[in-house]
Amino acid sequence: MHGISWQSVDHTLDACIKCNICTTYCPVAAVTDLFPGPKYAGPQAQRFRENGQPISPDHAVDYCSGCRVCNEVCPTGVRIAEMNARARAQIAATEGIPLRNRLLGRNELLGMAGSFAPRLANFGLHNPVSRLLAEKVMGIAREAPLPRWSVDGTFGDWMRSTRRARLKSNKKVVYYHGCATMYYEPFVGQAAVAVLEHNGYEVIVPPQNCCGLPMLSNGEFPAAEAYHRRNTARLSSYARAGIPIVGTSTSCTLTLKEEAPELLDLHDDAVHTLRMGVWDLFEWLQEQHDQGELRTDFRPIELTVPYHAPCQQRAHRVGKPALALLNLIPGIDVRESHAACCGIAGTYGYKTEKYRIAMDVGAELFDFVHAQGPHIAFSACDSETCRWQMEHGTGIPSRHPVEFLAAAYGLYDLERRSLVSPP
Amino acid sequence: MLDLLVIGAGLAGLSAALTAAEAGLNVRVIAKGLGALHWSAGTIDVLGYLPPSDAPAEQPLEQITELGQAHPYALCGAENVRAALAWFQSLIAEEGLSYIAAAGEANAWLPSPAGARRPAYLVPAAQFAGALDRPDPMLIVGLLGMRDFYPALIAENLGKQGVSARAQFISVSEITDRRDANTIHLAQAFEQPHRRRRFAEALARLVRPGERIGLPAILGLDDHAAVLSELQSVAGAPVFEIPTLPPSVPGARLYRALRSRLRRYGVRIEAGMEAINFAADGRLIRWVETETSARPLRHHAAAYLLATGGILGGGFSSDAAGRLWEVVFDLPLSAPPDRNQWFRSEFLDPRGQPIFQAGVEVDSGYRPVDATGQPVYDNLWAAGGLLAHADPLRERSLEGLSIAAGRGAALALTRSAARQPAHT
C-alpha cells in the first residue's frame, strides 16, 4: 500500500449516492474532458484503489486541481478532494514523481535559494529564454504567473530589522507567514503585523516551515509529513498556551488545520492542538469583531473592489469573513465574486499541460472582475497564487484583504505596497 | 445578529428564506451540501396520487383536502397552497424561468425518462409541449454518445399508452467535441450559438410535419430560453424537454434562479456547512454550530428554520439498533418505535412504508412539538420533506409541500417576530 492511508476517506465512500452534483459544479470538468469529474475520478474509481489494490485505475485524477468545490457541494459529505489527493499520492508512490512536480512542491527551498540573490534569481527565471527552457525541459508553462522574489529583503529580514519597533503587549498572537510572504510578498506580512499591532497585539513569528501543501498536491506525502511534524513541533506549544496562530495565506492555514492531519493520517495530541489553534487571519479578526474588540477607526477607501474568496478559503467552511470586514471600511464598494475558482489551484496552473485548463477555469472570474467597471484599481483575494493568477488573467493588480485593512487604518500604501509611518 | 437561520438549501429552505427576506428579515441559509433541487425534474408536483389508491389526482389543489387532517397540506390550508404556488410562479418568472399550469388547475401528464406517465402541476415551459393528452405525434430524439437517455425505450413505452411516438438519434458530436459529457456539460454546450444552430438544423432534417420533438432536458442552463426558442424556430416544430437522470438540468436551473433571487435580497447560501450542535436556554435556541476545518462555527439567530429534508434529504439518520433521529436538534419523530414496524412485508404495499411517513410533528404555526403537542422550542420552525404524515414521493407532493410549508412557516415566524422583538 506504499504507506497511503485511506482512513477517513473510506468511511465517506459509501455515502456517495452518485448524484453527480460534484460533477455539476466541478470547475475543471466544465472546461476539459481530460478530467471526467469528481464522481468518476473520486468515489467511483476509489472502488478499484482500496483493499490492497496497488494501482490507481486511471490517471485522470491527476487533472483534479484539488480546489475542493466538490466537497463544498456534496450533499452527503463524501471527502472527494481528499480521495483524489490520496489517489495522486498512490500514483506518485508507485510510479515516482516527475522532477518538475518535485520542484514545484519545494517552494520553500526555491524561495530560500532565490532570496540569496533575488535580482539575479528574478532575471534568471523571468526572461523569455529561461521560461522557454523551463517549458521545454521541465513542463512549466511559459506564460504561467510565477512570482518574483522580493528585492527588498525577506519578511524575516524585516522582522529582524524592525525588532525594536515591534509592539510588546500582554495580548499575543503567533503569525504564520507561509513561503509566499516570506520570500515574495513580505509586504503582506507587514500589513498583517501592522493590523494586529494596531489592535494591541504583540506579534510573535517563531521559526516555521512550509505547510507542505504543494507536496500534498503533487502526491509527495512523505516529504509533506516531515514538514508537518516540524511545524507541529515548533508551533503547537503556542497553541497549547492559548496563543492563537493566525495566517495570511489561506491555503497554508487550511493545511495546518485540516489537510495535512487528514491526508497524512496524523492524529496525535500535538497535531490536534495545533489544528485547533490555527486561524485564517480574517476568521480570527471576525471573531474579534464579534466580541467588539476589533478597532474600526477606518479611514474611507473610495474604491470598487471585486473580491474573490478562493477555494481554499471557502474550504475552511467559515463563511467569507474578509467580505464582511472589508465592508466595514467607509466608502469601499466590495463586489463579491461567485466564481468557483481562479484556476491556478496552487501549482496546477503552472504545468504546461494544465495551463490552458487553468485559464479556462479562471475565465468566469476574470470576466467578473472586468465587469465591475472600467476603473478597477485592485481586486482582492486571500490567496497568493490566486492573486497572481487574477493579475495574469485580468491585467489588474490584486491585493490581500489585510492590505486594505492596513490601508484603512492609515498604516499602509495600497499602491506601493509598503507601510507608511503613522502620523 | 441574524433574524433567521435556515438550515437546508432545498426548495422548502429556499422558499422560506425568500419569504422571510421579502418581509425584511436578515436571513442566512446554511446547508451540508447542495441537494434536493439538483435531483428534481424541475416540475412543481403538488399532488399526483392519493395513496393507497392508484387513481391519479386530476385536480391537485382541490384534492389535497382528501389527504386528511394530519397531512401537512391540511396545516397549510388549500387556499394558502394556491397562494404560495402563485407567489412562486410569479417570482420564478421574474428570474427568467417560465412555469405553466394546465388549464383548469388540472395536473399535466408528462413523459418520464422511461416514457411513463408522470403528473405535475406547475410545469417548466420547456416541458409543457410534452403533455401526453395532446394529439400531435412525438419524435423522441436522443444524443448518440450521451449516457442514460434512451429514445427507443421512451417511444415504445409511450406507444403502449396510446401516444404516437418514434425515436431517432443525433450524434452527440453535433453539439460537443467532448469524449464524455454529462447533462450539465451538454446544457452548457447548447449555449454556443454555432453548435446549437448545427444541432437545430439536424433536428429540422429529422422531423416530419405535424410532429413535436422531445429531447433530453439539456437545452441550455443560463441561456435556456434562447436555446429553446432557436431550436423550435429552426426545426419548425414544438420542442419539449424530458427530464434526465441526475444531475437534472431543469432542477439546476431552478436552484440557480432561486439563488439569484436570494442574492438580490442579500441572503447568502453557505454550502458545505453541516449543522452539528446547538445550545438552548430552556425553550429558546441560542445558537447552532456548524462543522469547519477546525473549531465549530457558531451561528446566532433570533429564529431558526429546519428544512433538512427526510431520510433521503439527510434530515434523519438511523442506526442498526432501530434508532431514528433528527440530525440537528434531535427532535421527536413520529416513527414507529419498533424497527420491525418500519417496513411492511410487501415492498410495493399500496399503503406505503411507515418509515417514509415518519417525520417531525409541528403545531399550527409550524413549530416542532413534543408528544404532548407543546412546541419543543419557541424559536424553531420546520418545513418541507421532514414533516410527519406525508409520503411525498408516493403522493408526488414534494415540491408543492416544500413551497407551501416553506412559505407558510416563514410567514408564521415573521408574524411571531413582529409580535415579540428579537431575543438578544
Side-chain angles (χ1 to χ4, degrees):
Chain A
M1 282 298 283
H2 311 279
I4 306 304
S5 157
W6 300 107
Q7 267 289 347
S8 82
V9 156
D10 45 8
H11 298 296
T12 69
L13 177 57
D14 289 341
C16 175
I17 56 169
K18 311 280 186 261
C19 71
N20 256 313
I21 286 177
C22 55
T23 304
T24 303
Y25 286 89
C26 173
V28 175
V31 300
T32 177
D33 58 3
L34 291 171
F35 186 59
K39 185 192 82 158
Y40 305 99
Q44 216 129 293
Q46 187 66 13
R47 300 278 175 206
F48 300 93
R49 296 187 191 115
E50 286 189 335
N51 301 323
Q53 297 173 80
I55 307 292
S56 192
D58 68 73
H59 286 66
V61 71
D62 185 48
Y63 278 87
C64 161
S65 76
C67 72
R68 301 175 49 131
V69 168
C70 45
N71 287 18
E72 185 180 338
V73 299
C74 175
T76 59
V78 185
R79 320 263 332 167
I80 310 166
E82 286 77 3
M83 222 171 263
N84 291 350
R86 287 178 179 188
R88 282 194 296 276
Q90 190 183 35
I91 293 173
T94 46
E95 299 177 14
I97 300 166
L99 176 62
R100 176 198 61 188
N101 293 8
R102 276 189 196 280
L103 201 66
L104 289 177
R106 282 172 175 67
N107 55 342
E108 184 176 67
L109 207 63
L110 292 172
M112 215 182 295
S115 292
F116 283 117
R119 282 174 212 279
L120 188 64
N122 283 335
F123 174 77
L125 181 64
H126 292 279
N127 73 74
V129 179
S130 20
R131 289 305 296 270
L132 183 67
L133 269 174
E135 178 168 293
K136 296 293 172 212
V137 179
M138 304 277 294
I140 296 174
R142 205 177 330 177
E143 310 92 324
L146 297 182
R148 289 175 178 274
W149 282 274
S150 162
V151 294
D152 303 319
T154 65
F155 176 71
D157 295 341
W158 178 79
M159 279 303 286
R160 269 188 299 280
S161 66
T162 61
R163 195 172 51 227
R164 285 198 187 79
R166 301 272 58 88
L167 183 74
K168 298 287 175 209
S169 167
N170 292 333
K171 300 199 293 179
K172 297 180 199 305
V173 289
V174 166
Y175 176 50
Y176 185 85
H177 46 68
C179 305
T181 298
M182 188 65 170
Y183 301 109
Y184 307 120
E185 300 188 322
F187 36 81
V188 171
Q190 293 164 10
V193 169
V195 165
L196 292 165
E197 289 185 350
H198 188 70
N199 281 283
Y201 279 86
E202 178 179 336
V203 181
I204 306 167
V205 183
Q208 51 190 269
N209 283 115
C210 169
C211 66
L213 176 59
M215 288 171 166
L216 291 172
S217 311
N218 285 290
E220 210 177 334
F221 278 21
E225 179 169 342
Y227 273 148
H228 193 66
R229 288 200 183 279
R230 262 203 310 274
N231 273 326
T232 304
R234 289 169 155 178
L235 299 173
S236 58
S237 57
Y238 294 98
R240 194 165 290 119
I243 302 175
I245 300 161
V246 301
T248 40
S249 174
T250 197
S251 53
C252 300
T253 51
L254 182 69
T255 304
L256 295 178
K257 278 176 171 183
E258 183 170 48
E259 294 218 11
E262 184 161 350
L263 288 177
L264 302 168
D265 225 353
L266 304 174
H267 303 293
D268 58 62
D269 271 358
V271 167
H272 182 75
T273 304
L274 176 61
R275 173 180 193 168
M276 291 302 166
V278 171
W279 301 71
D280 192 55
L281 177 63
F282 273 80
E283 177 192 12
W284 185 80
L285 290 172
Q286 174 76 59
E287 181 87 358
Q288 303 312 299
H289 183 57
D290 290 346
Q291 315 282 333
E293 286 176 11
L294 183 76
R295 283 181 65 173
T296 52
D297 50 338
F298 297 122
R299 304 173 184 186
I301 296 182
E302 305 287 345
L303 286 176
T304 297
V305 181
Y307 167 71
H308 176 65
C311 326
Q312 296 284 309
Q313 190 280 329
R314 301 202 312 274
H316 282 270
R317 311 189 286 286
V318 296
K320 296 183 179 178
L323 187 67
L325 294 188
L326 287 181
N327 269 318
L328 298 175
I329 301 173
I332 203 166
D333 178 6
V334 187
R335 309 275 176 86
E336 181 186 4
S337 145
H338 296 292
C341 179
C342 73
I344 196 80
T347 59
Y348 183 89
Y350 292 164
K351 299 169 183 171
T352 306
E353 74 279 11
K354 293 170 182 120
Y355 171 78
R356 193 65 252 162
I357 296 173
M359 291 303 284
D360 289 347
V361 167
E364 185 188 351
L365 175 58
F366 309 152
D367 291 348
F368 163 78
V369 171
H370 283 306
Q372 303 315 306
H375 304 297
I376 299 298
F378 309 106
S379 65
C381 179
D382 314 68
S383 157
E384 53 277 352
T385 53
C386 308
R387 284 195 298 276
W388 303 334
Q389 170 83 341
M390 285 166 75
E391 292 180 340
H392 177 55
T394 63
I396 294 170
S398 190
R399 298 288 183 261
H400 191 287
V402 80
E403 295 178 82
F404 287 90
L405 275 200
Y409 283 141
L411 305 170
Y412 190 78
D413 185 327
L414 268 179
E415 186 67 44
R416 296 175 48 228
R417 303 191 101 172
S418 61
L419 293 176
V420 294
S421 323
Chain B
M1 187 166 84
L2 290 170
D3 297 319
L4 173 63
L5 182 74
V6 174
I7 307 169
L11 196 50
L14 299 184
S15 297
L18 257 178
T19 301
E22 284 176 356
L25 268 56
N26 177 16
V27 184
R28 178 187 301 155
V29 180
I30 58 170
K32 181 176 178 179
L34 301 178
L37 283 172
H38 298 81
W39 307 334
S40 88
T43 54
I44 305 302
D45 303 353
V46 173
L47 181 67
Y49 299 93
L50 287 153
S53 159
D54 270 346
E58 296 295 350
Q59 291 291 317
L61 288 181
E62 283 174 19
Q63 290 180 273
I64 57 176
T65 54
E66 296 168 30
L67 288 163
Q69 280 310 301
H71 195 279
Y73 267 140
L75 184 73
C76 304
E79 275 320 298
N80 290 332
V81 174
R82 181 177 277 112
L85 292 169
W87 166 79
F88 171 84
Q89 194 176 3
S90 120
L91 79 87
I92 212 72
E94 282 174 36
E95 295 302 320
L97 280 184
S98 170
Y99 274 75
I100 303 171
E105 295 190 339
N107 266 330
W109 291 87
L110 306 167
S112 81
R117 283 162 59 83
R118 186 172 70 82
Y121 180 66
L122 290 181
V123 181
Q127 293 185 34
F128 202 69
L132 298 179
D133 56 357
R134 282 174 49 150
D136 39 345
M138 293 181 179
L139 167 65
I140 310 294
V141 178
L143 278 71
L144 199 60
M146 172 189 170
R147 286 186 299 265
D148 300 333
F149 188 85
Y150 306 106
L153 172 79
I154 297 172
E156 189 182 327
N157 279 341
L158 288 172
K160 286 177 180 164
Q161 298 166 85
V163 179
S164 164
R166 65 187 182 99
Q168 282 287 349
F169 273 115
I170 291 176
S171 168
V172 75
S173 64
E174 292 289 332
I175 195 71
T176 181
D177 297 324
R178 292 180 71 114
R179 287 172 297 169
D180 183 60
N182 75 6
T183 48
I184 298 284
H185 303 145
L186 288 167
Q188 282 160 338
F190 268 95
E191 293 181 346
Q192 307 166 271
H194 62 289
R195 298 305 287 266
R196 163 163 96 218
R197 180 85 195 178
R198 231 166 86 176
F199 188 89
E201 285 162 358
L203 274 185
R205 287 192 291 275
L206 288 179
V207 70
R208 294 174 190 153
E211 278 181 331
R212 47 183 163 149
I213 304 171
L215 286 165
I218 53 172
L219 306 181
L221 195 57
D222 292 323
D223 211 9
H224 165 59
V227 174
L228 184 66
S229 126
E230 179 167 349
L231 293 189
Q232 304 205 104
S233 73
V234 174
V239 169
F240 62 92
E241 289 188 319
I242 300 171
T244 63
L245 295 190
S248 160
V249 175
R253 283 181 205 135
L254 184 49
Y255 175 74
R256 292 157 85 99
L258 291 168
R259 185 182 64 180
S260 115
R261 185 86 172 176
L262 282 165
R263 276 181 189 160
R264 228 136 353 103
Y265 285 99
V267 177
R268 315 185 60 80
I269 302 174
E270 303 275 12
M273 280 195 183
E274 182 183 6
I276 52 167
N277 195 13
F278 76 104
D281 273 340
R283 297 205 327 194
L284 205 62
I285 294 169
R286 289 173 49 224
W287 46 255
V288 165
E289 279 182 343
T290 53
E291 183 262 6
T292 80
S293 47
R295 304 150 298 271
L297 180 69
R298 210 164 267 190
H299 306 257
H300 295 268
Y304 300 82
L305 191 145
L306 187 68
T308 43
I311 290 174
L312 180 61
F316 308 150
S317 195
S318 69
D319 62 21
R323 199 166 89 82
L324 179 79
W325 67 95
E326 183 279 306
V327 297
V328 181
F329 301 104
D330 199 13
L331 295 171
L333 294 177
S334 65
D338 179 0
R339 200 175 201 278
N340 292 322
Q341 309 287 308
W342 287 5
F343 298 98
R344 302 184 200 278
S345 52
E346 295 288 320
F347 179 64
L348 294 176
D349 191 303
R351 293 166 298 173
Q353 306 298 344
I355 189 67
F356 298 136
Q357 291 148 33
V360 174
E361 308 234 24
V362 293
D363 68 7
S364 62
Y366 297 90
R367 285 185 301 183
V369 294
D370 59 21
T372 69
Q374 285 303 304
V376 184
Y377 299 106
D378 289 335
N379 58 344
L380 176 65
W381 285 261
L386 52 62
L387 294 178
H389 310 303
D391 198 341
L393 295 185
R394 293 175 66 245
E395 296 159 3
R396 294 275 175 187
S397 61
L398 186 60
E399 291 84 14
L401 197 53
S402 296
I403 293 171
R407 183 162 169 78
L411 289 173
L413 77 86
T414 305
R415 281 192 296 269
S416 157
R419 274 199 305 275
Q420 47 195 128
H423 305 278
T424 48

